[in-house]
Amino acid sequence: MATETDSHGAAEAASVCVDSHGGAIGMPQLCGDWMGNQIFWLIVTLVVIFLILSRVALPRIAAILAERQGTITNDLAEAENLKARAVEAEEAYNQALADARSEALRIAAEAKAEIQGELNDAIEKADAEIGARAAESEKAIAEIRAGALESIREVATDTATEIVGALGGTADADAVTGAVQSRMKG
Amino acid sequence: MADDAHGAAAAEHAAEEGGLVFHPMDQFIVKPLFGGDTVGLFTVTNVTLWMALAVLAIFALLVMATSKRAIVPGRSQSIAELAYGFIYKMVEDVAGKDATPYFPYVMTLFMFIVCSNFLGLLPMSFTTTSHIAVTAIMAMAVFLSVTIIGFAKHGIGFLSLFWISAAPLPLRPILALIEIISYFVRPISHSIRLAGNMMAGHAVIKVFAGFAAVTLIAPVSVLAITAIYALEVLVSFIQAYVFAILTCVYLKDALHPHH
């Protein structure tokens, strides 16, 4: 890259490393005159940077990162906690639901049994009443039937007596009654 | 005037075009900021200016950006945290967990180099890290502190770094010689790698900028400058990264010298 200048350039140079026009002679990197200055300012710069970093910047960033890590860990723990509570709540809800369902079933069964019992009682009672009424009715019918037979016999006896009288005979009451009796039996 | 720093081909071009002027190395000249020609030890120079700007950049990036201490970081705070995490993880992974006390030193070097490199990419700027004096001091500081740490932690046992017990016994003296040479070459390669990369890239950009004066090849030249500039952006970061990771590797040798 850089070539050494001829000697007349060096002769005119403002310093050892710069020619009279302000151009570089050779590589400025190798100019010994400037190295002390560069090294001095480099050391100053590095010390300043080191102090800034070690006193302010790095502890601060470390604190920020640690705080964020802490926050994330806390948030995760809290989320875990909330999740567990949600699961718990769901379980409690399901439990309550199951309880309510079984309770409802029990109540329904009870009500059904009670109603069945009442129904059975009512049916029994009704059956008994029906039986009593039927017996009464049968009795009444039997009475009526008996009454009707007696009436028929009287009518028949009367009629027979009358018929015998009309035919010119004298009706023997006992004979007529016997005849009617024997007819009715037959 | 134009025959300061260019080869024969450039001289030919200069003769043909008349106006072609190359000063690729002028950007590296150290100048006093407030007049005067002599550069003394404490003279405020462009070196001072650009190092101070690097300090300001680091202050803005790592201190001002984190002043809100937000749990949910903004953009600038994210960059600061990213830089912190990047270097911290590098120190931890490469040099081991017991190297974390040295993390601020590595961070200082990395931040200074990366900020200086990027500031040096600004047009008309001065690249402090392109000077071997600067990088050599940093490399020597790393070399000396690593050596001192090694001896302070392990005493004479630190020398087992050079005695590779995994190798067959007859080979060990030869390997020890190679290891010792490579150990002492470390600060040289460490410093020249950074300074050379920075200087070469900037000089090449300047050379292409000189070609831009010629109308015929100006488009090619501008394209080339753009491409090399992009490459230099990459190099700026990578060289800072390489410097920091090599520091960690050397630190690892000092903390764990046994292979």
Side-chain angles (χ1 to χ4, degrees):
Chain A
M1 49 194 81
T3 55
E4 286 298 324
T5 48
D6 40 357
S7 53
H8 87 92
E12 291 172 18
S15 77
V16 191
C17 311
V18 182
D19 64 24
S20 55
H21 305 291
I25 303 170
M27 279 174 68
Q29 278 83 356
L30 300 179
C31 179
D33 286 7
W34 296 337
M35 285 188 177
N37 182 269
Q38 289 177 311
I39 290 166
F40 169 72
W41 287 114
L42 172 71
I43 290 168
V44 170
T45 305
L46 288 182
V47 167
V48 170
I49 294 173
F50 179 74
L51 289 179
I52 290 175
L53 289 188
S54 62
R55 293 288 155 84
V56 188
L58 299 185
R60 185 187 285 177
I61 297 174
I64 292 170
L65 293 178
E67 196 183 342
R68 177 170 316 140
Q69 197 55 50
T71 309
I72 289 170
T73 311
N74 283 348
D75 286 359
L76 281 179
E78 200 173 327
E80 199 66 33
N81 193 18
L82 288 175
K83 200 174 161 192
R85 275 170 60 188
V87 168
E88 221 168 74
E90 199 189 345
E91 267 168 19
Y93 167 76
N94 283 340
Q95 185 61 41
L97 202 65
D99 283 357
R101 192 165 289 154
S102 64
E103 179 77 4
L105 281 176
R106 193 182 60 74
I107 289 171
E110 238 170 49
K112 202 171 166 188
E114 200 174 308
I115 289 166
Q116 193 64 49
E118 273 173 20
L119 200 63
N120 288 345
D121 281 357
I123 288 169
E124 214 167 277
K125 213 168 154 192
D127 279 352
E129 204 160 305
I130 288 166
R133 290 265 177 92
E136 230 168 67
S137 302
E138 259 167 38
K139 207 172 144 199
I141 289 168
E143 265 172 26
I144 291 167
R145 186 177 287 159
L149 281 176
E150 194 54 40
S151 299
I152 289 169
R153 188 186 296 123
E154 268 175 29
V155 169
T157 311
D158 286 355
T159 311
T161 312
E162 286 300 318
I163 291 170
V164 170
L167 290 176
T170 306
D172 181 17
D174 287 340
V176 169
T177 305
V180 168
Q181 202 80 24
S182 65
R183 274 289 182 188
M184 279 181 75
K185 270 177 191 164
Chain B
M1 182 193 290
D3 53 356
D4 279 336
H6 53 74
E12 261 174 48
H13 272 290
E16 281 171 21
E17 308 288 341
L20 204 58
V21 178
F22 288 102
H23 290 299
M25 304 310 277
D26 284 8
Q27 58 179 322
F28 303 120
I29 292 173
V30 176
K31 296 186 203 91
L33 273 190
F34 305 112
D37 285 332
T38 50
V39 176
L41 189 58
F42 306 118
T43 314
V44 177
T45 57
N46 48 358
V47 177
T48 321
L49 172 68
W50 289 97
M51 283 187 181
L53 286 176
V55 173
L56 278 182
I58 292 168
F59 187 81
L61 189 65
L62 294 185
V63 178
M64 275 150 71
T66 57
S67 57
K68 277 196 275 180
R69 298 164 196 263
I71 289 291
V72 179
R75 280 185 210 173
S76 51
Q77 193 183 317
S78 293
I79 295 172
E81 288 172 9
L82 215 62
Y84 181 98
F86 179 64
I87 300 300
Y88 193 88
K89 200 162 159 31
M90 184 203 289
V91 172
E92 214 176 27
D93 289 353
V94 177
K97 275 223 185 298
D98 47 351
T100 47
Y102 307 106
F103 161 64
Y105 300 90
V106 182
M107 187 77 175
T108 301
L109 288 174
F110 175 78
M111 289 311 292
F112 171 70
I113 295 170
V114 84
C115 285
S116 297
N117 287 356
F118 280 129
L119 284 173
L121 282 174
L122 296 175
M124 310 303 289
S125 71
F126 176 80
T127 318
T128 51
T129 41
S130 67
H131 277 263
I132 192 75
V134 170
T135 59
I137 290 298
M138 291 191 289
M140 279 311 290
V142 169
F143 176 76
L144 287 178
S145 49
V146 158
T147 309
I148 291 167
I149 288 168
F151 277 113
K153 290 252 174 192
H154 304 281
I156 205 74
F158 178 57
L159 292 177
S160 67
L161 177 66
F162 306 115
W163 196 251
I164 299 158
S165 47
L169 194 60
L171 277 179
R172 283 183 206 174
I174 305 164
L175 284 176
L177 189 67
I178 295 171
E179 287 284 324
I180 287 170
I181 292 172
S182 80
Y183 190 80
F184 284 98
V185 167
R186 275 177 183 183
I188 302 169
S189 64
H190 203 184
S191 56
I192 290 178
R193 181 181 299 115
L194 175 58
N197 265 292
M198 298 318 294
M199 187 191 73
H202 286 73
V204 167
I205 288 179
K206 267 281 150 66
V207 169
F208 276 107
F211 279 120
V214 185
T215 323
L216 207 60
I217 50 175
V220 181
S221 162
V222 169
L223 270 179
I225 291 173
T226 313
I228 292 172
Y229 194 93
L231 181 71
E232 282 304 294
V233 170
L234 202 67
V235 167
S236 290
F237 177 77
I238 287 174
Q239 285 307 317
Y241 174 68
V242 164
F243 198 96
I245 205 164
L246 281 177
T247 304
C248 292
V249 168
Y250 300 159
L251 201 56
K252 192 207 91 186
D253 281 347
L255 295 172
H256 316 280
H258 314 289
H259 288 277

